[in-house]
Amino acid sequence: MHQIMKAAKQACRVFLATVFLVAAAQGTAHAQSANNSQYTMQEIVDAGHGFFGETSGGLAKVVERAFERYGLPNGYILGQEGSGAFIAGLTYGEGELNTKNAGQHSVFWQGPSLGIDWGGQGSRAMMLVYNLPSVPALYKRFGGVSGSAYVVAGVGMTVLTDEQIVVVPIRTGIGARLGINVGYLKMTQTPTWNPF
């Protein structure tokens, strides 16, 4: 009788271990499929180097900082923008949203700013997009503070957000714009001169 109990306990342990391993394998497969819509740090750095060129020595460090704070993005925008300010400022840009599950889409952005800020600049911009539920959800206003950017080797990062989606613009360019300002960027499907 003792041998039967011992064999039953052993069979129960083997059964539970098998169930646990199968459940863990299914959970891993589910996690990998859930992450198929997100970009790794290496994918973002490669896209950035291809877009910014070899002059972007600080790109990897800035991207690493964004990944440390916000995790894996599920989209990114590559584009160009121009901005100018004398206390009040304006920014206009255009680019292309890249996603793994919804393809590529044109995007335009414009927005006002107000602050202790003057100068102008032309930039290439990569915007990491976090928590994007669908492409149409991007077309709205994202507020933030510029001038408090994290900067490494001429590459700067700011953060814009609404209630759910976070957009992290990473810029490098020519010109001189100094100061700090508060404003927003309005993302649209078509170009417009109206920054509001």
Side-chain angles (χ1 to χ4, degrees):
M1 183 73 163
H2 181 64
Q3 291 292 68
I4 294 173
M5 290 296 286
K6 196 173 184 181
K9 283 182 181 178
Q10 185 65 19
C12 186
R13 284 187 194 135
V14 169
F15 175 74
L16 289 175
T18 303
V19 168
F20 177 75
L21 288 174
V22 168
Q26 287 177 342
T28 302
H30 177 69
Q32 288 174 343
S33 68
N35 290 335
N36 283 341
S37 65
Q38 296 176 318
Y39 290 92
T40 65
M41 190 165 80
Q42 190 60 51
E43 288 174 313
I44 294 296
V45 169
D46 290 345
H49 280 305
F51 180 68
F52 289 118
E54 296 304 317
T55 59
S56 58
L59 176 66
K61 289 184 180 182
V62 173
V63 169
E64 181 179 354
R65 175 75 178 252
F67 272 69
E68 284 174 3
R69 292 189 68 189
Y70 302 103
L72 301 175
N74 62 340
Y76 67 91
I77 299 167
L78 296 177
Q80 300 175 40
E81 69 178 21
S83 64
F86 183 75
I87 300 176
L90 292 172
T91 299
Y92 291 94
E94 65 179 281
E96 190 167 84
L97 169 67
N98 297 274
T99 65
K100 286 188 174 182
N101 58 356
Q104 298 178 323
H105 302 270
S106 293
V107 63
F108 300 86
W109 59 93
Q110 50 282 323
S113 62
L114 186 63
I116 304 168
D117 186 21
W118 64 93
Q121 72 183 49
S123 311
R124 285 182 170 245
M126 168 185 267
M127 299 185 189
L128 306 181
V129 183
Y130 294 89
N131 308 320
L132 184 66
S134 65
V135 172
L138 182 68
Y139 302 122
K140 64 172 113 178
R141 290 179 179 86
F142 295 89
V145 177
S146 295
S148 59
Y150 177 77
V151 178
V152 175
V155 180
M157 176 184 92
T158 57
V159 178
L160 304 170
T161 187
D162 73 342
E163 301 96 31
Q164 176 185 359
I165 302 168
V166 176
V167 177
V168 180
I170 298 171
R171 298 178 174 102
T172 184
I174 57 170
R177 187 168 171 183
L178 302 171
I180 185 168
N181 63 63
V182 176
Y184 63 81
L185 286 183
K186 180 177 74 174
M187 304 283 188
T188 58
Q189 286 180 284
T190 57
T192 178
W193 288 104
N194 181 3
F196 304 103

